Amino acid sequence: MVEVANAPAIRVTGLVKNYGEVHALAGLDLEVRRGEVFGLLGPNGAGKTTTVKVLLGLLRADGGRAEVLGLDVASAATEVRRGVGYVPQEITSDPYLSGRENLRFFARLYHLPDPRARSEEVLRQVGLEDAADRLAKTYSGGMRKRLDLGVGLLHDPELHILDEPSLGLDVEARVRVWTHVEELRKRGRTVLLCTNYMDEADRLCDRVAILDRGRGVACDTPSALKDGLGGDVVTLVASERDGAPPPDWAKLLGGLPLVRSVLADGLRATVAVEAGDRALPKVLEATVAASVPIASVSLLRPSLDAVFLRHTGRRLAEGAAAPAPAAGGRRG
Amino acid sequence: MTAAPPTPSVAFRRETLAQLARWFHHLRREPFNVVFTLTQPILWMLFFSSLMQEAKLPGMAPGTPYRDFMTAGVLTFTVYGNAMSGGIPLLFDRENGFLTRLLATPIARSSIVAGRFLYIEAVALAQTLLILGLAALLGVSVRTGVLGVLGIVLFGALLGLGLTALSLALAMWVRHHGTFFMLLGTLGLPLLFCSTALAPVDAMPTWMRWVALANPMSFCVDAMRPLVLGGGSFGRYVLSAAGLLAFDAVAVWVSVRVLKGKLA
């Protein structure tokens, strides 16, 4: 059996998995396109890890169908595993092997032509050359996670499944994981990223599916999901000029594309817009063209947390709060 | 990057050897684990045999020193301890997620069991030879010579096969390692006492005699003892081998059923 080149990386239809009375997956539908970073966002118990285990053939679904790289997981699990690099939630490197031995061990299990050479390449890729001969049990949490990420890279698979890769990591290690995902994207690999960190999904993912109680409740780009809540808000405050009246904000901004409404309050204007990242330059251009001096400007965007709240009626678990890196922009 | 997959038999061999190598790495890093499994048999050999030195039990050939009589029992108990604890690392692999990581690779599931099994058998062989060496230092020699030593290794391997299979299945079956250790601790001594390892069946009360006769450890002891002391018959060896093979068949059948479900 060979993988189907033009099939989506993952296609899941009506997936059901029950643990006794608990419905871990209750008819999940999902499609991940090739080359995208796709986020599965949801609180603990939403069904993310169960989905991953079904996709890898480690759990048998009670209903529905799962295809990975065009292969039916139920009948071709071994072929599926050959094309997937999996990084589990837990740190799983063997503590009694060195970093190098861990990689060589897995390289042999993937039947790579030159396990030694490939292990050295991956050691360099994940920045563990200097610690290669130390036992994994002496590594820090971040180093062990890098080693796990390295195991997922060994056979250079088409699809990478990362299950909560930054869970429990400090800020520095977390940024490294993010860089790792960005590099996979640059190399055209497909990534399925399970996370319950809002900022992680927002920053890294091309599209996000929000999971709740084993069901997908929303799926789109982070931007579109947030726009769906009613758009962003640009707040402008003009500088005070002696004797000059406040700007006529409604006339100035009301007709601009992407602007939904303008609420004027003297020097302050509260402007509801669609797609704030695209609307903001147009709003600023218009004010500059009208020679309105601006004292301050801010863009307020709804978070994915708000999206989750809208679709589920609940907030993501408090435990999902993560250490925030000091630097780094946001996507979408 | 993945090379064209090799034929299933080549793949199985490579995967098994990779996992066997992993266990030897562990042995190199944590040699005391293996040494520890040797402690109990050695203590029995040193203390219990000294205590029973003058014992004349019904069924023991006249003039046989108890230490010589007990050697086969200690060898069997060593095989038991090593084989039954064989599933422990797999149990920890399961609990810390390493097994899931392993199962997410495209390997034959049977290679996980085969790698572990070969390792346990290799360690059991080394331990058997060590115990025989210790016995020799204490003045016990294998009267049937090199062939006898080979026979002892063979019967030990036959008992080890079934016990290892059960241990691996138990490691997959129990919910928590505490249960595994509790079962291991609870079963060890009763199985030892209800076997011919420490005393002949003639010295046992009737109920114990029946348990001992059905105990696979007795099949092993009853074959090893004449190999140590001499005076065995071909029929005795065939009977023991048949009993052990039957035990292995049942144990492997049970184990395969459990492992198939757990190593999906």
Side-chain angles (χ1 to χ4, degrees):
Chain A
M1 193 170 301
V2 288
E3 71 176 74
V4 182
N6 56 358
I10 296 171
R11 183 189 282 142
V12 163
T13 42
L15 211 57
V16 174
K17 179 68 192 175
N18 301 317
Y19 298 105
E21 296 295 305
V22 179
H23 307 300
L25 295 177
L28 179 68
D29 296 315
L30 209 63
E31 186 166 306
V32 179
R33 300 169 195 144
R34 295 209 185 211
E36 74 175 337
V37 177
F38 188 94
L40 268 189
L41 180 66
N44 295 335
K48 302 187 298 290
T49 299
T50 301
T51 305
V52 167
K53 287 193 169 172
V54 170
L55 291 175
L56 290 165
L58 301 177
L59 270 182
R60 197 175 288 273
D62 297 322
R65 185 179 167 86
E67 285 175 32
V68 173
L69 304 170
L71 299 165
D72 180 5
V73 174
S75 59
T78 305
E79 285 81 356
V80 165
R81 291 177 195 128
R82 212 166 269 140
V84 177
Y86 168 54
V87 179
Q89 206 176 102
E90 308 89 355
I91 287 175
T92 54
S93 45
D94 185 331
Y96 295 104
L97 301 189
S98 67
R100 179 173 274 125
E101 286 165 348
N102 263 291
L103 288 171
R104 284 184 185 170
F105 171 70
F106 280 102
R108 289 175 74 188
L109 296 185
Y110 280 104
H111 302 284
L112 301 185
D114 189 346
R116 282 168 181 264
R118 181 59 186 153
S119 301
E120 297 307 311
E121 275 175 36
V122 170
L123 276 171
R124 279 194 294 278
Q125 255 175 295
V126 295
L128 286 174
E129 316 98 296
D130 293 339
D133 290 318
R134 272 171 49 195
L135 294 189
K137 68 177 177 181
T138 68
Y139 284 11
S140 67
M143 289 167 82
R144 287 193 75 178
K145 181 51 82 176
R146 268 145 70 195
L147 186 56
D148 282 355
L149 292 171
V151 170
L153 287 174
L154 277 167
H155 56 304
D156 194 18
E158 152 87 41
L159 170 65
H160 292 257
I161 297 181
L162 313 182
D163 191 1
E164 312 259 8
S166 62
L167 190 71
L169 297 185
D170 63 19
V171 173
E172 190 190 343
R174 204 161 171 246
V175 171
R176 270 188 177 269
V177 170
W178 289 2
T179 309
H180 177 84
V181 175
E182 296 286 9
E183 278 165 10
L184 291 175
R185 181 211 307 281
K186 277 185 210 148
R187 288 174 35 226
R189 298 293 180 259
T190 310
V191 179
L192 176 68
L193 176 74
C194 300
T195 183
N196 58 14
Y197 293 154
M198 218 71 71
D199 56 339
E200 189 164 273
D202 205 358
R203 177 190 169 121
L204 295 173
C205 299
D206 299 308
R207 289 193 306 140
V208 171
I210 294 180
L211 247 66
D212 185 43
R213 295 176 178 148
R215 217 184 277 273
V217 292
C219 179
D220 212 326
T221 63
S223 267
L225 286 170
K226 289 181 285 189
D227 289 347
L229 289 180
D232 306 335
V233 175
V234 175
T235 306
L236 294 165
V237 179
S239 301
E240 204 164 347
R241 289 178 296 179
D242 288 342
D248 185 351
W249 292 116
K251 188 176 169 192
L252 189 64
L253 305 173
L256 293 177
L258 301 174
V259 171
R260 287 179 176 170
S261 65
V262 180
L263 180 66
D265 179 15
L267 293 173
R268 174 188 294 270
T270 306
V271 189
V273 298
E274 289 173 33
D277 52 344
R278 284 185 289 130
L280 182 60
K282 294 186 192 308
V283 168
L284 289 175
E285 271 169 29
T287 48
V288 169
S291 302
V292 175
I294 298 295
S296 74
V297 59
S298 66
L299 170 63
L300 187 68
R301 311 210 62 193
S303 66
L304 279 179
D305 194 19
V307 177
F308 187 81
L309 182 66
R310 153 75 72 87
H311 288 283
T312 65
R314 291 178 293 118
R315 297 184 71 94
L316 265 174
E318 298 301 321
R330 289 154 64 95
R331 292 169 55 86
Chain B
M1 177 61 63
T2 309
T7 59
S9 62
V10 172
F12 174 76
R13 183 170 53 80
R14 286 188 195 163
E15 289 156 10
T16 302
L17 289 177
Q19 289 175 84
L20 182 60
R22 175 181 172 232
W23 298 124
F24 277 112
H25 278 307
H26 278 219
L27 176 62
R28 195 153 55 88
R29 306 278 153 65
E30 296 283 323
F32 289 107
N33 288 347
V34 171
V35 173
F36 182 74
T37 59
L38 271 175
T39 334
Q40 263 208 332
I42 289 172
L43 290 178
W44 280 93
M45 192 86 182
L46 290 176
F47 294 104
F48 194 73
S49 66
S50 300
L51 191 70
M52 301 285 285
Q53 202 169 359
E54 303 303 322
K56 298 280 178 286
L57 297 171
M60 262 177 76
T64 307
Y66 186 75
R67 186 167 285 160
D68 296 35
F69 173 83
M70 193 190 169
T71 300
V74 170
L75 285 164
T76 301
F77 194 49
T78 308
V79 170
Y80 169 86
N82 185 49
M84 283 307 285
S85 58
I88 294 171
L90 215 54
L91 182 64
F92 286 126
D93 274 358
R94 199 187 101 197
E95 287 185 347
N96 66 25
F98 188 87
L99 186 65
T100 305
R101 183 69 195 78
L102 207 54
L103 291 172
T105 64
I107 58 169
R109 279 42 194 144
S110 48
S111 70
I112 298 173
V113 178
R116 186 71 202 152
F117 177 76
L118 284 178
Y119 171 78
I120 294 166
E121 288 295 306
V123 171
L125 170 65
Q127 289 189 335
T128 301
L129 296 176
L130 269 171
I131 295 282
L132 284 174
L134 177 75
L137 286 176
L138 295 172
V140 181
S141 59
V142 177
R143 307 217 172 102
T144 51
V146 177
L147 272 180
V149 172
L150 284 176
I152 287 169
V153 168
L154 177 72
F155 280 105
L158 281 177
L159 178 67
L161 170 66
L163 291 175
T164 305
L166 290 180
S167 174
L168 295 177
L170 196 62
M172 291 294 110
W173 182 70
V174 295
R175 284 183 187 274
H176 187 257
H177 65 258
T179 316
F180 188 95
F181 288 116
M182 191 266 291
L183 280 170
L184 218 62
T186 311
L187 287 175
L189 282 183
L191 277 173
L192 178 69
F193 289 132
C194 292
S195 77
T196 51
L198 303 177
V201 281
D202 293 348
M204 297 177 187
T206 313
W207 70 269
M208 212 179 205
R209 209 174 278 193
W210 286 108
V211 180
L213 285 172
N215 184 346
M217 280 173 79
S218 299
F219 305 155
C220 187
V221 175
D222 292 348
M224 282 187 180
R225 185 159 287 145
L227 287 169
V228 175
L229 302 175
S233 69
F234 184 69
R236 173 70 263 169
Y237 298 133
V238 171
L239 197 64
S240 278
L244 286 171
L245 284 171
F247 164 66
D248 288 345
V250 173
V252 169
W253 180 77
V254 169
S255 179
V256 166
R257 281 181 69 90
V258 173
L259 293 172
K260 263 193 172 172
K262 300 290 180 183
L263 299 178

